[in-house]
Amino acid sequence: MRTFMRSLALSVVTAAMMSAAAYAQKPGGTLVQITQPEPPNLAPYISTSGPIGQVTAKVFDGLLEYDFNLKPQPGLAESFTVSPDGKTVTFKLRRGVKFHDGKPFTSADVQFSIMEVLKKNHPRGIATFKEVEAVETPDETTAIFKLANPAPYMMAALSGYESPIVPKHVYGTGDIKAHANANNPIGTGPFKFVEWRRGEFVRLDKNPEYWRAGRPFLDRIVVRFIADASTRTAVLEKGEAHIAGFGAVPYNDVKKLAALPSLEVTTKGYEMISPIVEMVINTKKPPFDNAKVRQAINYAVDRKFVIDNVWFGFGKPAMGPISSNFEPSGLYGAGVDYTVADRVERANKLLDEAGFPKKADGFRFEMVHDITPYGEEWQRFGEAVQQALAKVGIKATLRYEDVPKWLKRIYTDYDFDMSSNFLYNLADPVLGVHRGFHSDRIKKGTVFVNGSQWSSPETDALMDKATVEADATKRGAMYRELVKKVTEASPVIYVHELLFPTIINKQFKDLIDGPLGIYGNYANAHRQ
């Protein structure tokens, strides 16, 4: 059997080195993080809304963690082995781990979390654990995943952010989608939930019984929610807050903050995310059920203008649903090029062919563009799209709602024409890309999946084959074909590959210590 175990000797040496390093650090302290907008809940096991994970990744652990090369590292699982046929994965779990309520963590919690929570309710877990038929628990420290087919991508999705392990004795009672602990999370992570003052902050305190000896170094994390963008910039400048990422700071303020001696700016910590800004079109609603109309919108969007003027250069044009970050692995391929010089002319021609001529007022038809409620950049993006669509005769009205209303409108009610959004590619296309247009991801009430409701037998088949294909070359060819078909159909407009800047106060170190960045647990974070 292939094994991915860390030796005991290496663990001991590493622990000794980290303990020695701790003597050079200031113990304790409070880290203030800015998260924008405020999360709709603290239930990452049923929602992948971006702000949630920025808070709860400190509360919940996963079976594994990852280094900057995206290689798995021990988490709640000390080691794992994969059988030669790829259909059995055995995890050896840590002994002596306790949940925040003092109850022990066992293999039963892993079985419950995977089979009853994530596989059934998590927007991405539906795909991640699709092949898992059972989780066997021969003893309290062994969890054996039995798979119908090999699923190598699963091993990249076992972090506390992506696949949190929850206590069965807490979440096993009641409706998981409306659980009493949805806003009072209990995990095994380095920080314990204390309180949530709506509109103000979430407070997390050090877990004194955390399983990783000597961690965490910080006493407390306060996650602040500040609606006003200029205030978010000001509190970082004054040292009243210490870290902000995922666009919480207006992009036009980033360079100003980077010039201050007390602050630094990095784009590290998003390697396992690869966000792509997109616009989801409701393909079940006329006139958007017409592919030519969707293609025209695709041509109309001025990607270069958006990148330069809305996101101040933090990005590059997207050529399809798969990020160019996958190019080294051979999984990247460009689709239809909608950035051509005559794109406006092409858009007008397609709309004429679709049967929507311009009327006396210069417009062909009207629509509503629902803006992602994640800050001022998204409002400006909506305005840029509105102007671009007007040039081809489409009158767009902008609508901006709070996060819960927006999520319900797009993914439960399907009561929209087009909505801006951004989805993560994550560590493998199976995890982050398939959910956007596979038939089995059309799941009413599940957020950040196939909101366009478009799919085809051909693209479903390509994704299904790529999921279990072990040959990287063949898999890459499948994805290149997939990208061409999806971009031609245009159920989603892929605008640009977004680069997030993270602003950090230099008095804190090791905040960004892995490819998930702020979605990490801050167990190693410390003052200097």
Side-chain angles (χ1 to χ4, degrees):
M1 298 178 75
R2 293 177 293 129
T3 181
F4 295 83
M5 296 188 294
R6 276 190 167 184
S7 68
L8 177 61
L10 177 59
S11 298
V12 171
V13 170
T14 302
M17 291 173 63
M18 296 179 105
S19 295
Y23 288 112
Q25 301 159 357
K26 292 181 180 178
T30 297
L31 174 77
V32 179
Q33 172 180 299
I34 297 175
T35 290
Q36 175 62 28
E38 187 169 11
N41 58 57
L42 297 179
Y45 44 85
I46 60 170
S47 177
T48 55
S49 178
I52 297 175
Q54 294 183 44
V55 179
T56 58
K58 289 73 176 155
V59 175
F60 295 104
D61 285 318
L63 289 174
L64 299 174
E65 297 178 0
Y66 300 87
D67 63 21
F68 277 109
N69 294 318
L70 309 188
K71 301 298 183 183
Q73 305 296 319
L76 287 176
E78 292 183 316
S79 64
F80 67 89
T81 56
V82 182
S83 64
D85 65 2
K87 294 184 179 182
T88 300
V89 185
T90 302
F91 293 93
K92 297 304 294 182
L93 308 178
R94 292 185 185 278
R95 297 178 183 274
V97 177
K98 294 181 180 179
F99 286 102
H100 296 155
D101 61 0
K103 299 293 178 63
F105 157 73
T106 72
S107 57
D109 300 301
V110 176
Q111 181 188 61
F112 169 73
S113 297
I114 302 301
M115 299 304 297
E116 300 301 322
V117 180
L118 301 172
K119 182 178 171 69
K120 294 181 179 180
N121 301 286
H122 190 275
R124 298 192 290 256
I126 294 166
T128 301
F129 303 108
K130 178 182 179 181
E131 301 295 342
V132 181
E133 295 184 318
V135 175
E136 298 178 355
T137 57
D139 58 58
E140 291 190 343
T141 59
T142 305
I144 304 173
F145 288 33
K146 293 294 187 178
L147 281 62
N149 295 290
Y153 54 87
M154 182 184 74
M155 304 312 297
L158 299 177
S159 69
Y161 158 69
E162 183 65 20
S163 299
I165 299 300
V166 302
K168 180 180 180 180
H169 67 272
V170 174
Y171 294 92
T173 302
D175 180 5
I176 193 67
K177 289 190 174 182
H179 201 274
N181 286 87
N183 296 323
N184 182 24
I186 296 174
T188 60
F191 293 92
K192 302 170 66 172
F193 173 79
V194 176
E195 66 173 322
W196 183 0
R197 292 191 188 177
R198 294 279 183 168
E200 296 184 51
F201 65 83
V202 164
R203 174 181 160 185
L204 308 174
D205 281 3
K206 176 178 182 175
N207 175 10
E209 295 187 89
Y210 187 48
W211 52 266
R212 187 174 282 131
R215 303 295 189 282
F217 297 119
L218 299 173
D219 289 330
R220 184 176 298 109
I221 298 171
V222 175
V223 183
R224 292 185 61 185
F225 314 119
I226 303 172
D228 181 68
S230 60
T231 303
R232 295 196 294 271
T233 299
V235 296
L236 284 163
E237 191 171 4
K238 295 175 182 177
E240 296 172 3
H242 309 117
I243 185 169
F246 290 97
V249 173
Y251 282 75
N252 58 329
D253 286 346
V254 171
K255 289 186 178 179
K256 178 182 75 173
L257 292 177
L260 297 176
S262 61
L263 300 174
E264 62 179 318
V265 174
T266 181
T267 55
K268 287 180 67 65
Y270 301 99
E271 292 83 357
M272 214 165 191
I273 297 172
S274 297
I276 293 184
V277 172
E278 63 180 33
M279 296 188 300
V280 180
I281 298 176
N282 188 344
T283 63
K284 300 300 182 182
K285 187 175 182 181
F288 311 105
D289 55 348
N290 188 320
K292 289 187 176 182
V293 172
R294 301 194 300 266
Q295 291 165 353
I297 294 173
N298 214 338
Y299 276 119
V301 177
D302 189 343
R303 289 159 172 80
K304 187 177 187 304
F305 179 87
V306 166
I307 294 169
D308 291 344
N309 295 280
V310 177
W311 275 279
F312 291 85
F314 285 94
K316 59 185 292 189
M319 303 305 290
I322 298 180
S323 169
S324 60
N325 285 345
F326 286 103
E327 194 162 12
S329 66
L331 301 182
Y332 172 72
V336 177
D337 187 359
Y338 288 100
T339 67
V340 292
D342 63 339
R343 56 184 183 76
V344 174
E345 290 79 3
R346 294 194 189 194
N348 279 310
K349 183 174 183 294
L350 284 164
L351 290 168
D352 288 338
E353 292 174 355
F356 296 97
K358 287 185 178 179
K359 301 172 186 175
D361 63 359
F363 290 107
R364 304 171 187 273
F365 60 82
E366 297 185 20
M367 63 176 289
V368 176
H369 178 195
D370 285 282
I371 305 170
T372 308
Y374 284 1
E376 292 185 4
E377 279 80 22
W378 295 96
Q379 294 182 42
R380 291 200 295 271
F381 175 51
E383 293 164 359
V385 171
Q386 183 182 48
Q387 294 167 9
L389 293 180
K391 291 179 180 179
V392 299
I394 300 174
K395 185 176 182 179
T397 299
L398 304 181
R399 180 165 51 201
Y400 191 86
E401 299 177 312
D402 62 28
V403 174
K405 287 182 180 178
W406 172 68
L407 290 174
K408 183 176 183 295
R409 178 182 295 279
I410 306 304
Y411 296 105
T412 299
D413 300 336
Y414 299 125
D415 181 23
F416 73 103
D417 298 331
M418 182 176 76
S419 178
S420 59
N421 201 351
F422 68 100
L423 287 188
Y424 300 156
N425 272 194
L426 303 172
D428 190 280
V430 174
L431 305 176
V433 177
H434 291 197
R435 59 186 165 136
F437 39 82
H438 197 292
S439 295
D440 67 10
R441 307 314 193 272
I442 303 173
K443 296 182 71 69
K444 188 173 184 178
T446 300
V447 300
F448 302 119
V449 289
N450 189 346
S452 76
Q453 303 171 79
W454 177 91
S455 63
S456 76
E458 293 80 11
T459 54
D460 283 352
L462 282 168
M463 286 182 278
D464 291 342
K465 290 177 183 177
T467 297
V468 298
E469 179 56 62
D471 186 292
T473 300
K474 291 180 181 179
R475 196 168 186 240
M478 292 174 187
Y479 279 123
R480 285 189 289 276
E481 184 179 354
L482 174 71
V483 168
K484 289 179 181 179
K485 289 182 179 295
V486 171
T487 54
E488 183 177 359
S490 292
V492 178
I493 311 302
Y494 301 100
V495 182
H496 71 102
E497 298 177 11
L498 181 60
L499 292 175
F500 283 120
T502 299
I503 298 87
I504 303 172
N505 189 300
K506 291 181 181 178
Q507 69 173 294
F508 289 90
K509 297 297 180 184
D510 293 330
L511 291 171
I512 307 300
D513 63 354
L516 287 169
I518 292 177
Y519 287 148
N521 62 21
Y522 291 171
N524 294 322
H526 59 90
R527 296 182 301 155
Q528 67 169 7

